[in-house]
């Protein structure tokens, strides 16, 4: 065989094997990490947002894309790769999602006009992807005895599957403020605590501007979030440092212009309803 052809062929096979390589998601040694608890380093305990009494809720506008109207999970499925606890995991997941994402049926329960987290059933992801958007989500923390802190009705809305606005009972439930309801998790404490008590429906209205990357993958513009909790401004055009991670500092990793929303299964039967998006 001609030398040039042989070389080209070898190069092509090499390239193909690089592209075909399975992305390895890093294994996190949770038992080992219990000794040092690195997630505590990014918990911010002051300032504590003051409490305000919130306003009431609204119906979807006529031009909204309704993702959940109380009847079924047709617009949702369960992703094999969802979100990561540390940046190395996030980076691997972004790659895996682009190359080998797999889905199965969403396992959450639809009941009484709401969809309810099925503990252990995994997160759910919108079938449609979004970039810049106005998002409305209503959620309810069921009254539960014997739970506190991050364990009392924890869920989350992951914008683009990466940037989490925390869902938690924060009515009278102490935790680190950069992890309470309405926090951009471990990055921005809400301006005030507009939480309603467990058992009452609450709403988030969010304006999200997705990050922009140049052709080389460098960050051109960071993501920003403005959010209202029960009609009260809690995040005022805050700039995100990158994906919202549980352990360590965030940094940006290039990703698609549009990505789906993910709702978190954190083991609590949090309910959601009336979810809609207006693309910006
Ligand atoms: Mg959460």
């Amino acid at each position: 065989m001609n030398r040039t052809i042989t070389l080209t062929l070898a190069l092509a096979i090499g390239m193909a094997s690089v592209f075909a390589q399975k992305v390895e998601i890093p294994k996190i040694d949770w038992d080992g990490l219990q000794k040092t608890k690195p997630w505590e380093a990014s918990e911010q305990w002051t300032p504590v947002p003051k409490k305000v009494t919130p306003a009431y809720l609204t119906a979807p506008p006529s031009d909204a894309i309704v993702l959940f109207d109380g009847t079924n999970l047709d617009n949702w499925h369960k992703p094999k790769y969802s979100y990561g606890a540390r940046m190395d995991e996030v980076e691997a997941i972004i790659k895996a999602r682009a190359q080998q994402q797999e889905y199965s049926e969403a396992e959450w329960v639809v009941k009484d006009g709401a969809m309810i987290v099925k503990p252990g059933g995994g997160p759910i992801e919108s079938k449609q992807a979004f970039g810049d958007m106005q998002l409305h989500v209503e959620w309810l923390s069921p009254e539960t005895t014997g739970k506190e802190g991050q364990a009392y009705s924890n869920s989350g809305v992951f914008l683009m599957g990466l940037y989490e606005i925390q869902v938690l009972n924060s009515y009278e439930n102490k935790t680190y403020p950069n992890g309470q309801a309405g926090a951009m998790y471990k990055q921005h404490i809400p301006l005030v605590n507009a939480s309603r008590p467990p058992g009452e429906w609450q709403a988030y209205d969010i304006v999200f501007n997705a990050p922009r990357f140049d052709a080389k993958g460098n960050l051109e513009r960071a993501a920003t979030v403005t959010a209202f909790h029960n009609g009260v401004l809690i995040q005022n055009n805050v700039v995100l440092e990158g994906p919202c991670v549980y352990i360590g500092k965030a940094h940006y990793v290039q990703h698609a212009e549009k990505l789906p929303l993910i709702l978190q299964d954190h083991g609590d039967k949090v309910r959601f309803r009336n979810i809609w998006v207006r693309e910006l």
Side-chain angles (χ1 to χ4, degrees):
M1 203 183 292
N2 172 309
R3 197 182 138 93
T4 316
I5 294 174
T6 314
L7 265 173
T8 312
L9 208 61
L11 199 65
I13 291 166
M15 291 285 279
S17 69
V18 165
F19 283 114
Q21 245 168 30
K22 271 239 164 194
V23 177
E24 288 293 331
I25 307 295
K27 290 257 182 299
I28 296 183
D29 173 15
W30 290 106
D31 289 339
L33 289 177
Q34 278 295 339
K35 290 175 193 145
T36 53
K37 300 190 166 138
W39 45 86
E40 290 183 352
S42 46
E43 293 173 4
Q44 188 184 335
W45 285 83
T46 56
V48 176
K50 72 168 186 178
K51 285 187 182 181
V52 298
T53 304
Y56 279 89
L57 311 174
T58 55
S62 60
D63 65 347
I65 299 164
V66 176
L67 295 179
F68 180 69
D69 67 0
T71 59
N72 61 64
L73 294 174
D74 288 358
N75 296 318
W76 301 85
H77 49 193
K78 175 182 176 177
K80 180 170 180 185
Y81 303 105
S82 53
Y83 45 82
R86 276 191 325 219
M87 279 311 303
D88 58 341
E89 203 186 1
V90 171
E91 288 184 35
I93 286 171
I94 287 173
K95 266 191 210 149
R97 288 179 61 90
Q99 289 178 24
Q100 64 204 51
Q101 178 64 300
E102 292 169 34
Y103 296 101
S104 52
E105 207 166 313
E107 293 181 32
W108 292 19
V109 176
V110 177
K111 196 180 164 195
D112 302 329
M115 56 185 189
I116 308 168
V117 176
K118 183 184 170 193
I124 63 169
E125 180 177 310
S126 64
K127 290 181 182 171
Q128 191 169 341
F130 303 99
D132 299 349
M133 69 182 139
Q134 176 185 351
L135 169 67
H136 177 91
V137 178
E138 292 174 24
W139 58 273
L140 179 147
S141 152
E143 264 184 291
T144 318
T145 48
K147 285 205 170 184
E148 57 177 20
Q150 291 286 308
Y152 197 156
S153 286
N154 196 329
S155 182
V157 179
F158 283 72
L159 309 163
M160 304 192 91
L162 293 165
Y163 309 103
E164 181 189 12
I165 182 163
Q166 174 70 306
V167 169
L168 189 77
N169 165 36
S170 289
Y171 185 67
E172 280 168 356
N173 179 37
K174 195 175 180 189
T175 189
Y176 44 95
N178 64 345
Q180 74 177 60
M184 290 312 299
Y185 188 72
K186 294 237 170 132
Q187 293 190 29
H188 294 284
I189 294 171
L191 294 170
V192 292
N193 182 349
S195 297
R196 290 207 171 94
E200 291 189 25
W201 282 100
Q202 319 204 37
Y204 284 157
D205 286 282
I206 298 157
V207 179
F208 175 69
N209 289 300
R212 301 291 197 273
F213 300 93
D214 68 18
K216 289 180 179 161
N218 301 313
L219 183 73
E220 276 185 343
R221 198 184 79 190
T224 59
V225 175
T226 295
F228 297 82
H229 185 185
N230 299 324
V232 178
L233 183 69
I234 53 163
Q235 300 288 356
N236 187 6
N237 198 31
V238 295
V239 179
L240 300 184
E241 294 155 19
C244 297
V245 286
Y246 180 49
I247 300 172
K249 295 287 277 179
H251 61 259
Y252 278 97
V253 180
Q254 187 187 22
H255 57 68
E257 281 178 30
K258 293 185 176 189
L259 287 168
L261 293 169
I262 293 180
L263 301 180
Q264 186 180 39
D265 165 19
H266 202 282
D268 300 315
K269 292 182 180 176
V270 177
R271 295 181 216 172
F272 290 89
R273 72 176 185 190
N274 195 18
I275 304 173
W276 52 261
V277 171
R278 292 181 65 254
E279 292 191 282
L280 302 175

